[in-house]
Amino acid sequence: MAENNEFIREVDEDYRRDRILQIWKRYSGVIIALAVLLVVGVAGYRYWQTQQRAAAEAASVQFDEANRLARDGKVAEADKVFDALEVQGPAGYRLLARFRSAAETSKRDAEAGAKEFDTLAGDTGLGDGLRDLARLRAALLRLDSPNPDPALANLQGLAAGTPFRHTAREMLGLAALKKGDFEEAGRWFDQLVADPETPRNLRERIEVYAALVAGGPVTVTEAKPEVAAPPPPITR
């Protein structure tokens, strides 16, 4: 019985070798080509990784240089570097450069900076969070403009459940305080109090805002000049 089993095993092994040899003869070219493609693919991927790393490092140096130029007041030179990053840099640095360029522009011209943030907000290639951030920055730049209504409308949209709702509600409350609408201001501040995710530092500021709302409008009365006391009698 053991000899039969050994014979069967040897026959089975011979059969498998024959099958493998037949497959090799038929598909050896394909197998070799696949092996070469695999090696080339791995080498290409590693080369791509190296190039991406080098590009990111170069972009990081450019971004830091642009920030340094902006801090030193060399605005035109900083803008050139930011513009170059927007065109040639890796995706992440292109986006950083666009946001930073808009922020630098807003320091010189609030409306021009707001328009750059508008462009970012309208870019459907960005995620919702980044587009909302751009909308927020544009709205904040326009709050003190002669016509703040569009900015307030944007803030109201952001206050309805976006990640930036806390800042939007705070700004809306302060805008209401500024125009003397204490009831509206109180509604926005109450929403911040009721939101369990309101940051702690903002809750501390709300206490100050709530005190202002509770105090209501300040009535300024016109001061009346006091009647001067008669001079003392002159004694001789």
Side-chain angles (χ1 to χ4, degrees):
M1 187 69 178
E3 291 180 357
N4 289 337
N5 290 338
E6 183 67 24
F7 176 75
I8 292 171
R9 186 163 50 251
E10 289 178 1
V11 171
D12 186 50
E13 289 177 356
D14 288 341
Y15 176 76
R16 285 201 299 270
R17 281 196 295 270
D18 289 341
R19 291 293 298 168
I20 292 171
L21 184 59
Q22 290 175 9
I23 291 171
W24 174 255
K25 287 180 179 178
R26 180 176 296 180
Y27 299 108
S28 59
V30 176
I31 294 172
I32 292 172
L34 289 174
V36 171
L37 286 175
L38 178 62
V39 172
V40 171
V42 171
Y45 177 69
R46 289 183 176 175
Y47 175 77
W48 177 81
Q49 282 185 314
T50 302
Q51 292 296 102
Q52 290 293 106
R53 189 180 303 112
E57 290 173 356
S60 176
V61 172
Q62 284 182 285
F63 190 75
D64 290 341
E65 175 66 10
N67 285 329
R68 185 188 64 77
L69 290 169
R71 287 195 302 269
D72 293 345
K74 299 177 180 179
V75 178
E77 295 178 40
D79 285 344
K80 288 181 181 179
V81 180
F82 283 131
D83 290 343
L85 276 174
E86 288 182 32
V87 175
Q88 302 171 356
Y93 280 98
R94 287 202 303 270
L95 185 57
L96 278 175
R98 291 175 67 189
F99 270 90
R100 186 56 194 249
S101 176
E104 290 299 322
T105 300
S106 68
K107 294 177 183 178
R108 306 187 297 272
D109 185 333
E111 182 56 29
K115 288 180 179 178
E116 289 191 28
F117 282 118
D118 286 341
T119 302
L120 284 161
D123 189 342
T124 55
L126 302 183
D128 290 341
L130 290 171
R131 294 175 68 188
D132 284 344
L133 174 59
R135 287 173 59 201
L136 176 67
R137 295 295 300 272
L140 295 179
L141 287 169
R142 291 187 172 114
L143 269 182
D144 292 327
S145 67
N147 180 24
D149 290 343
L152 293 173
N154 274 334
L155 288 175
Q156 288 172 3
L158 292 168
T162 71
F164 304 102
R165 63 188 181 278
H166 304 116
T167 301
R169 291 168 181 171
E170 181 182 14
M171 293 299 103
L172 286 165
L174 290 176
L177 276 180
K178 184 177 180 180
K179 65 183 181 182
D181 191 338
F182 289 83
E183 184 177 351
E184 181 183 354
R187 285 197 298 269
W188 289 117
F189 297 145
D190 287 345
Q191 288 187 33
L192 287 168
V193 172
D195 190 335
E197 296 183 1
T198 296
R200 181 178 177 181
N201 60 341
L202 179 51
R203 288 188 182 278
E204 293 173 355
R205 293 201 298 274
I206 291 173
E207 295 179 6
V208 178
Y209 302 153
L212 292 173
V213 172
V218 177
T219 302
V220 179
T221 57
E222 183 180 356
K224 295 181 179 180
E226 295 182 358
V227 179
I234 299 174
T235 57
R236 294 183 183 273

